[in-house]
Amino acid sequence: MSFFSRSFPALNRLKQLAFRPRGVEEFFENAKSIPTEKSWTGRAWRASELRVKSFDDLHKLWFVLLKERNVLAAQKEEARRFHISKQYFSNKGRQIKCQKSMARIKFVLNERRLAWVEATKLQRVVNAQEAAVNTKVSTPAGSSSAATSAAKSTESTVSA
């Protein structure tokens, strides 16, 4: 514990309160239903950047983007409710960035799923081939017909 933390225990409590979920207030940016000034936002996440992230990081990012999407939807609804013209208030660019990022996360996760499916198929083939080799080695010389039929069935699964 640092000297600063020991000297100001109320500050630690304030930090804990600052990061608590606040319910409905989380649907608004800076406690305003509609922002009064345009804020600069970054770009959408690229798939190459997302491929480097772990599953947990992608999971957290998904929920951050989901929260952002909900904030933008709340702002859009408030603008509609107050009859604010789209030329004065529009967050379409942020919505598109959010949608693209979420779609790319889904794409990267699907790539990983397909790679896993392919790896399990290959592992099954390798296991079947090893089993065929093991049955060839363990059978006597006269009864190699069972091992030959097992090897042929493995070859047919590999070609399929």
Side-chain angles (χ1 to χ4, degrees):
M1 190 177 229
S2 70
F3 172 76
F4 187 76
S5 298
R6 281 181 279 161
S7 301
F8 302 103
L11 186 63
N12 288 335
R13 180 71 180 140
L14 185 63
K15 283 182 187 177
Q16 290 173 354
L17 291 175
F19 296 109
R20 279 183 149 172
R22 296 179 305 263
V24 174
E25 292 175 10
E26 287 199 22
F27 286 104
F28 303 111
E29 241 175 359
N30 302 327
K32 297 178 185 174
S33 62
I34 298 177
T36 54
E37 57 191 40
K38 258 205 179 304
S39 61
W40 184 85
T41 57
R43 58 176 172 74
W45 284 84
R46 294 186 182 119
S48 59
E49 296 169 332
L50 296 171
R51 284 185 187 105
V52 180
K53 301 271 184 205
S54 69
F55 178 79
D56 290 335
D57 289 342
L58 289 176
H59 191 255
K60 290 174 189 173
L61 182 59
W62 177 267
F63 280 101
V64 167
L65 290 168
L66 184 64
K67 182 178 170 185
E68 176 73 11
R69 192 175 77 176
N70 287 336
V71 166
L72 295 173
Q75 288 176 355
K76 182 178 177 182
E77 183 59 29
E78 285 293 301
R80 186 197 62 77
R81 191 169 68 108
F82 289 127
H83 305 292
I84 297 174
S85 175
K86 287 185 180 181
Q87 71 186 51
Y88 296 113
F89 175 78
S90 175
N91 52 19
K92 191 69 175 168
R94 286 174 66 187
Q95 288 176 336
I96 290 170
K97 291 173 193 175
C98 190
Q99 286 175 346
K100 281 184 179 181
S101 295
M102 291 178 89
R104 288 175 181 160
I105 288 174
K106 282 177 145 180
F107 180 78
V108 167
L109 290 175
N110 191 45
E111 282 180 338
R112 291 181 185 181
R113 184 188 63 81
L114 292 175
W116 179 80
V117 166
E118 188 64 29
T120 55
K121 283 181 186 177
L122 287 174
Q123 187 62 41
R124 277 191 226 126
V125 169
V126 168
N127 290 344
Q129 288 174 348
E130 286 177 356
V133 168
N134 289 340
T135 56
K136 276 185 184 179
V137 172
S138 64
T139 59
S143 64
S144 64
S145 61
T148 308
S149 64
K152 285 182 183 177
S153 67
T154 329
E155 290 172 5
S156 65
T157 57
V158 171
S159 63

